[in-house]
């Protein structure tokens, strides 16, 4: 299909992007890589009156060592995460998950910030950020604020970002080069995950789920069981606790719950080496 008519604004700086958002309000949408927004526009599931293109803000594309954490610009492309030597050494899980996003075309165009701000529970990277207890940095008219990943995803395709805010940076802990795994099930390699599970086991085990509710979720039942001394197999049985998996052409809620238990067990086993 053909998208509805829209006005196009190319932002040259963060301030220009914020000014455009302030001017057009709820009628405006930010465009980064376009891998999430444009398909919705073609189906007319999203009909923004104004597109504010931030894809050329190269000062928001970076992976940096910030001392006690890594700082990643919101416009860093998936491919740059996938090939980052710094991530390989300091946060291997984010590098590995980025390498499983879509196909080569998606990874060369899509951005970390775009994926996160879109808020799709079937996306790979938001779950990884949850497992890492990441912090997200947003700028708006009132200045800069930080948002914990646990508070960022609030509903289906809905985040804590205000309409006049721009996601600028993602901060993640140095989780190390090992002690993680990402397991996902999909029909084809480039498809959205039917279900996915991210496990990070350096220190306290953190487990996050893809496509098991209206937002990416932490598998709190699994984490609590592990903290109480349960085996991996027994803890994985709690993978679907507290979730509301969707029903669609790919899977029923019951099948997704089964997949969650299987994938969490596999991810934890691999993460523990």
């Amino acid at each position: 299909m053909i998208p509805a008519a829209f006005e196009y604004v190319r932002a040259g700086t963060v301030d220009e992007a914020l000014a455009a958002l302030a001017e057009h309000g709820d009628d405006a949408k930010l465009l980064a890589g376009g891998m999430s927004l444009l398909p919705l526009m073609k189906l007319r599931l999203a009909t923004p009156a104004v597109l504010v293109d931030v894809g050329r803000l190269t000062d928001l594309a970076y992976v940096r060592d910030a001392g006690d954490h890594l700082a990643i610009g919101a416009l860093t492309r998936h491919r740059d995460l996938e090939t980052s030597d710094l991530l390989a050494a300091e946060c291997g899980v984010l590098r590995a998950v980025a390498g499983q996003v879509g196909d080569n075309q998606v990874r060369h165009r899509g951005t970390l910030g775009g994926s996160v701000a879109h808020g799709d529970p079937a996306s790979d990277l938001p779950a990884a950020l949850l497992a890492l207890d990441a912090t997200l940095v947003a700028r708006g008219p009132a200045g800069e604020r930080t948002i914990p990943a646990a508070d960022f995803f609030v509903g289906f395709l809905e985040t804590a970002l205000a309409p006049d805010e721009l996601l600028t940076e993602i901060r993640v802990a140095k989780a190390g080069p090992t002690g993680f795994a990402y397991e996902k099930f999909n029909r084809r390699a480039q498809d959205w995950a039917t279900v996915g599970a991210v496990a990070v086991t350096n220190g306290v085990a953190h487990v996050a789920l893809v496509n098991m509710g209206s937002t990416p979720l932490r598998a709190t039942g699994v984490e609590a069981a592990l903290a109480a001394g349960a085996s991996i197999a027994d803890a994985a049985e709690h993978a679907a606790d507290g979730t509301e998996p969707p029903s669609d052409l790919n899977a029923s809620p019951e099948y997704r719950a089964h997949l969650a238990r299987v994938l969490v067990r596999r991810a934890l086993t691999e993460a523990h080496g």
Side-chain angles (χ1 to χ4, degrees), residues 116-139:
V116 172
H118 187 55
D120 194 324
S123 294
D124 305 288
L125 287 163
L129 297 184
L130 271 182
L132 288 166
D133 281 331
T135 298
L136 297 101
V137 182
R139 278 184 59 185

Side-chain angles (χ1 to χ4, degrees), residues 77-172:
R77 302 197 184 277
H78 305 320
R79 177 62 178 169
D80 295 324
L81 300 176
E82 181 187 9
T83 57
S84 169
D85 292 337
L86 182 56
L87 286 183
E90 300 288 0
C91 192
V93 60
L94 196 58
R95 186 180 195 262
V97 173
Q100 294 196 47
V101 174
D103 54 22
N104 281 330
Q105 179 178 351
V106 169
R107 292 196 295 275
H108 278 83
R109 290 294 306 164
T111 65
L112 175 60
S115 176
V116 172
H118 187 55
D120 194 324
S123 294
D124 305 288
L125 287 163
L129 297 184
L130 271 182
L132 288 166
D133 281 331
T135 298
L136 297 101
V137 182
R139 278 184 59 185
E144 185 176 278
R145 68 182 179 116
T146 58
I147 311 165
D151 299 330
F152 187 80
F153 305 101
V154 298
F156 182 70
L157 302 185
E158 184 181 3
T159 72
L161 283 174
D164 56 359
E165 286 185 317
L166 171 66
L167 184 63
T168 58
E169 186 175 273
I170 296 91
R171 298 169 181 169
V172 298

